[in-house]
Amino acid sequence: MEIVQIFNNNVVLTTDQEKNEIVVMGKGIGFQKKKGDRIDSKLIDKKFILTENVAQSIFPDIYHQLSEDEIDVVIEIISMAEEKLNVEFQSNLYIALADHIHYTLERTKQVLPLTNPLNYEVRKYYPEEYKVGKAALELIEKRLGISLYKDEASSLALHFVTGQKEGYLISQTVKVTEIVHNILNIVRIYFGTNFDEESISYARFLTHVQYFAHRVVFGEQKGTTDSFLYEQVQKSYPETFECVLRIKQFIETTYDFEMGEDEQVYLTIHIERILKNE
C-alpha cells in the first residue's frame, strides 16, 4: 500500500486493489513520509474503508481542521472506549467524534459552552458509556490542556452509544431516551416544579414512561381501558389530566403515535401520586 494523503504522523490515507479509500492508523505510520511512499504494515494498528461518498469527502475535510494533538486524542479516546466497553465501533465514529471534539474545543476557547439536555438520562441509562465520557474529558485536559464543560461527558457517551455496531437497535434506544426526557420536561414545566427523583412514586412513574416510550418507538399499541375509569380519572384529577393531554398531543404530533385511553389513565395516576408526595 502506498500513501495517498498524510493527516498526521499516525494517520494516513491509502487505497486498496479495488481503489477503495482506506484510512490507516498506527504509531509513527506517517512520520517523515510523503505521498507515494510505501506503508510499513508492521506499524498498522487499525484500518477501515471509507465506503460512502459522504465519508470520503468529509473525513479529509474534518481531519485537516484538527491539529496533530487533536487527532491523536480522538484516536486515543476511541481506543480507550473500545477497550473499556469491550465493543467495536463503526468507522463513522472517527468522523463524528473528531468533528464534535474539535467544535467543542473551539466553543470552549470562545467561552460558549452548551449544556446537554439529555445529561441526566444518559447518566442513568448508559452509566458505563458515561464513565468513559468522563475519562475522555480527563484525557482531553491532560493532552490538550483544556477543561471542557462537564456536560460533555454525556455528549461523548452518546457518541459511544450510537457509534457501536448494531447501530439500528442502539439508535432506537437513544430515541426512547429522548422521548422520556421530553415527557419529563412537559410535566416539570406544566407544574413548574422539580420532583423528588429519589422517591418511590417518581421511580415508578419513570419506569412506566420508559415502557411507554419503548412502545412509541416500536409502534406497540395497547388495548383501551374501561370507559368509566377513564371518565373518573378525568373528573377527579382535571389539572393532571390536562397535563397528560399535552403529552398525548406531543407524542401524536412528533411520533405519529396515538396514545390510548389506558395510557392516559396510567400517566394521570402516576403523576398525581408524585404531586401528592411533593
Side-chain angles (χ1 to χ4, degrees), residues 134-194:
K134 290 177 65 177
L137 293 187
E138 294 174 0
L139 187 59
I140 289 171
E141 184 172 8
K142 181 179 179 181
R143 296 283 188 268
L144 304 178
I146 299 177
S147 179
L148 300 182
Y149 192 61
K150 62 182 181 180
D151 272 20
E152 282 302 321
S154 54
S155 297
L156 295 175
L158 276 178
H159 278 291
F160 300 145
V161 172
T162 57
Q164 294 177 28
K165 295 197 170 175
E166 305 299 331
Y168 168 76
L169 292 177
I170 293 171
S171 68
Q172 306 311 307
T173 304
V174 173
K175 188 177 291 186
V176 167
T177 303
E178 292 174 347
I179 293 172
V180 170
H181 167 75
N182 287 322
I183 290 177
L184 295 181
N185 259 356
I186 290 172
V187 177
R188 291 188 187 113
I189 293 171
Y190 184 85
F191 291 102
T193 184
N194 288 317

Side-chain angles (χ1 to χ4, degrees), residues 9 14 28 32 45 50 89 91 102 108 113 123 125 177 211 223 240 250 252 261 271 275:
N9 288 335
T14 184
Q32 294 185 339
D45 291 330
L50 296 177
F89 292 118
S91 58
H102 178 70
T108 303
R123 289 168 58 187
Y125 304 140
T177 303
Y211 283 124
T240 305
F250 166 75
E252 291 179 355
E261 292 182 353
I271 295 172
L275 292 172

Side-chain angles (χ1 to χ4, degrees), residues 71-86:
I71 293 176
D72 289 341
V73 163
V74 170
I75 296 172
E76 192 171 352
I77 287 174
I78 293 176
S79 178
M80 174 188 68
E82 286 186 327
E83 181 180 349
K84 287 183 178 294
L85 299 173
N86 193 29

